[in-house]
């Protein structure tokens, strides 16, 4: 049996749970550092299950055969809807994230923020800490970048999505953003996954470029197992033998994940394409496969961008994507959330 325990149990409560397990004839083993998962080995008598479920500090008791992983779709339960400031992902709601790859100078960031908000984004993206393939590439502007993001949030109604690379920075970055981004290069950084899992802030988790779908959902499982359910999965393309596009957008994975998990799934057509001219087409493909939103790199002067200029698109091209998204969402009864949508007008009905 698997026992899910509440977070931050006092030692005395945990000890008394362990004692009851022992008295019932089970040997027990805590499976994680945060002490929320307890594995029991023994007879598995059905009556023991309800006895254990009644104990203070126990959230649920599962038979090994029915121990569902936390990301899995729950029969009869609605899909998870993740909200971050004005954005809403999942359960029939789509939202769009847009902005530069990296935070550059503050005025330019505010200018981009205003343009993408006018076009229809509800969240501004921009990395203050950049995970680069080479140590000699621009590594981001760090705390100054976080300040610029705060200023852009003040200047617009947009929420902020920005990447956190290091578990020690979770508090610092969390103070400046409405949604953490965990990038492809950090999908398997388990200390980081644990740390964001201990917050209740939404997390945009990107698929590693060589990660299987199974590894991707297990990365989400690390966050979920700490108690944070506010996860948006992001397919951003995987590596292949072909370099016509930077990566291969795995639309099959998007369609699969929409069926297999209750978590929202969005698509990043920018890192998948690596070329601005293909971003809109891949965005459409992702939405047609069922994505609950997009994250798109937008820059007014791609040649001057500190990183990923080749895949940046203009705000005008982004606004065409917004129009596509509105239409594609409507095709299957979903709704694109636009800036300044009053909460009362948001649809409550969900897709079956
Ligand atoms: C990014 O969003 O700028 C980024 C670095 O993306 P990824 O982690 O998907 O490469
Ligand atoms: Mn980028």
């Amino acid at each position: 049996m698997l026992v899910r325990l509440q977070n931050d149990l006092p030692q005395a409560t945990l000890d008394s749970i362990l004692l009851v397990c022992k008295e019932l004839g089970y040997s027990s083993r805590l499976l994680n550092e945060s002490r929320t998962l307890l594995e029991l080995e023994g007879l598995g008598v059905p009556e023991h299950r309800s006895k254990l479920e009644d104990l203070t500090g126990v959230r649920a008791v599962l038979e090994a055969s029915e121990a569902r992983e936390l990301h899995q779709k729950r029969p009869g339960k609605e899909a998870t809807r993740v909200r971050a400031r004005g954005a809403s992902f999942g359960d029939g709601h789509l939202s769009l994230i847009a902005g530069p790859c990296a935070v550059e100078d503050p005025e330019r960031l505010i200018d981009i923020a205003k343009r993408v908000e006018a076009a229809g984004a509800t969240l501004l993206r921009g990395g203050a800490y950049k995970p680069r393939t080479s140590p000699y590439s621009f590594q981001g502007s760090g705390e100054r970048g976080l300040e610029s993001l705060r200023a852009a949030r003040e200047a617009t109604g947009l929420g902020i999505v920005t990447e956190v690379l290091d578990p020690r920075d979770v508090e610092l970055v969390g103070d400046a953003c409405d949604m953490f981004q965990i990038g492809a290069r950090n999908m398997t950084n388990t200390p980081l996954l644990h740390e964001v899992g201990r917050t209740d802030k939404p997390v945009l988790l990107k698929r590693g470029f060589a990660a299987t779908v199974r590894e991707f959902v297990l990365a989400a499982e690390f966050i979920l197992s700490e108690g944070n359910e506010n996860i948006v999965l992001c397919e951003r393309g995987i590596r292949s033998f072909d370099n016509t596009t930077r990566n291969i957008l795995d639309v099959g994975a998007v369609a699969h994940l929409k069926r297999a998990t209750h978590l929202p799934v969005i698509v990043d057509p920018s890192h998948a394409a690596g070329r601005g001219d293909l971003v809109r087409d891949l965005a459409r493909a992702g939405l047609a496969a069922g994505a609950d939103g997009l994250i798109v790199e937008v820059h007014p002067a791609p040649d001057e961008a500190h990183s990923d200029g080749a895949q940046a698109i203009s705000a005008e091209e982004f606004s065409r994507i917004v129009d596509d998204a509105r239409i594609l969402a409507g095709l299957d009864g979903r709704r694109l959330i636009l800036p300044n949508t009053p909460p009362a007008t948001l649809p409550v009905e969900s897709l079956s």
Side-chain angles (χ1 to χ4, degrees), residues 99-101 104 108 112 297-306 312-315:
C101 177
E104 298 166 8
R108 174 159 270 169
I112 299 175
E297 290 190 344
V298 173
H299 198 290
D303 292 347
E304 295 167 21
H306 290 20
I313 59 167
S314 64

Side-chain angles (χ1 to χ4, degrees), residues 100-102 125 130 206 246 268 270-271 297 307-308 311:
C101 177
R125 62 147 293 145
K130 293 303 300 174
K206 296 184 104 181
R246 183 175 179 184
D268 174 347
S270 306
H271 290 84
E297 290 190 344
S307 56
D308 286 349
Q311 67 200 32

